[in-house]
Amino acid sequence: MSAQKMHIDSYERNWMIFSFILLVLFASAVAVAAFGMGIQVPAPEERVDPRTVATDPNSPWSNPGLREIAPGKYDAYILARAVPQWEYLPREITVPAGSRVTFYVTSPDVQHGFMIQNTNANFMVLPGQVSKLTVTFKNEGTYNFICTEFCGAGHGVMYGAIIVTP
Ligand SMILES: [Cu+2]
């Protein structure tokens, strides 16, 4: 007894082959972006209590700012807030060119955004959650960051800058 050969219409078979090629292409594109170009997806790092995150002395956001953890490597703790006024703390960060900065951003009140111009950093900042992303600043210059979520009357003045010195 021989196995019966299944009949597939050539039109249908060509579409199946085409879809399979597309799947392989998309998977390769994701692999190249992740491993070859080092593109990361912003991930929720940890949960925090938004009521105490800015005031608890054990919370790094009670004293937001830049910490050098190794030569050329920094952790930046940034608080995005709407109360008492719309702002980022700190509003300005200065690092030398070539620095690798890991941002840890959270909000004690409402939802904000965090987008650094001329980089691939663009993520949401949610109360109760820490958003983390690492950016390497190869070239000197001023990289403005802005809030990308409408967060109230002062949304338009919610911005800051990363100054990369030579
Ligand atoms: Cu905002």
Side-chain angles (χ1 to χ4, degrees), residues 46-65 67 77-83 89 104-110 112 125-131:
E46 58 172 307
R47 296 207 163 268
V48 288
D49 186 344
R51 289 164 300 185
T52 57
V53 72
T55 48
D56 180 355
N58 296 319
S59 155
W61 294 271
S62 65
N63 177 27
R67 331 260 201 264
Y77 290 89
I78 295 180
L79 194 69
R81 67 180 188 183
V83 178
L89 297 177
Y104 297 86
V105 192
T106 192
S107 162
D109 41 54
V110 296
H112 297 282
V125 179
L126 302 170
Q129 186 173 292
V130 177
S131 301

Side-chain angles (χ1 to χ4, degrees), residues 86 111-113 147 149 151 155 158:
W86 284 264
Q111 181 172 330
H112 297 282
C147 182
E149 293 287 337
C151 56
H155 168 66
M158 200 163 161

Side-chain angles (χ1 to χ4, degrees), residues 66-77 100-102 104 134:
L66 197 67
R67 331 260 201 264
E68 186 167 16
I69 52 167
K73 277 191 176 181
Y74 298 87
D75 280 348
Y77 290 89
R100 196 175 143 82
V101 184
T102 302
Y104 297 86
T134 301

Side-chain angles (χ1 to χ4, degrees), residues 150-163:
F150 183 73
C151 56
H155 168 66
V157 296
M158 200 163 161
Y159 62 90
I162 294 144
I163 293 151

Side-chain angles (χ1 to χ4, degrees), residues 10-165:
S10 65
Y11 187 68
E12 193 176 357
R13 192 188 56 224
N14 290 345
W15 275 110
M16 284 166 72
I17 293 169
F18 178 65
S19 314
F20 184 76
I21 292 170
L22 277 185
L23 276 179
V24 172
L25 278 178
F26 293 153
S28 323
V30 170
V32 168
F35 302 110
M37 300 163 76
I39 290 174
Q40 307 167 46
V41 177
E45 170 72 2
E46 58 172 307
R47 296 207 163 268
V48 288
D49 186 344
R51 289 164 300 185
T52 57
V53 72
T55 48
D56 180 355
N58 296 319
S59 155
W61 294 271
S62 65
N63 177 27
L66 197 67
R67 331 260 201 264
E68 186 167 16
I69 52 167
K73 277 191 176 181
Y74 298 87
D75 280 348
Y77 290 89
I78 295 180
L79 194 69
R81 67 180 188 183
V83 178
Q85 58 184 34
W86 284 264
E87 63 188 341
Y88 290 102
L89 297 177
R91 175 156 270 196
E92 233 175 63
I93 283 175
T94 304
V95 289
S99 296
R100 196 175 143 82
V101 184
T102 302
F103 293 91
Y104 297 86
V105 192
T106 192
S107 162
D109 41 54
V110 296
Q111 181 172 330
H112 297 282
F114 189 78
M115 187 193 104
I116 310 172
Q117 288 169 335
N118 300 321
T119 69
N120 72 343
N122 185 357
F123 52 81
M124 283 200 295
V125 179
L126 302 170
Q129 186 173 292
V130 177
S131 301
K132 174 190 175 187
L133 192 73
T134 301
V135 180
T136 301
F137 295 94
K138 290 191 187 103
N139 304 315
E140 65 171 292
T142 299
Y143 296 76
N144 296 313
F145 54 84
I146 57 168
C147 182
T148 49
E149 293 287 337
F150 183 73
C151 56
H155 168 66
V157 296
M158 200 163 161
Y159 62 90
I162 294 144
I163 293 151
V164 180
T165 56

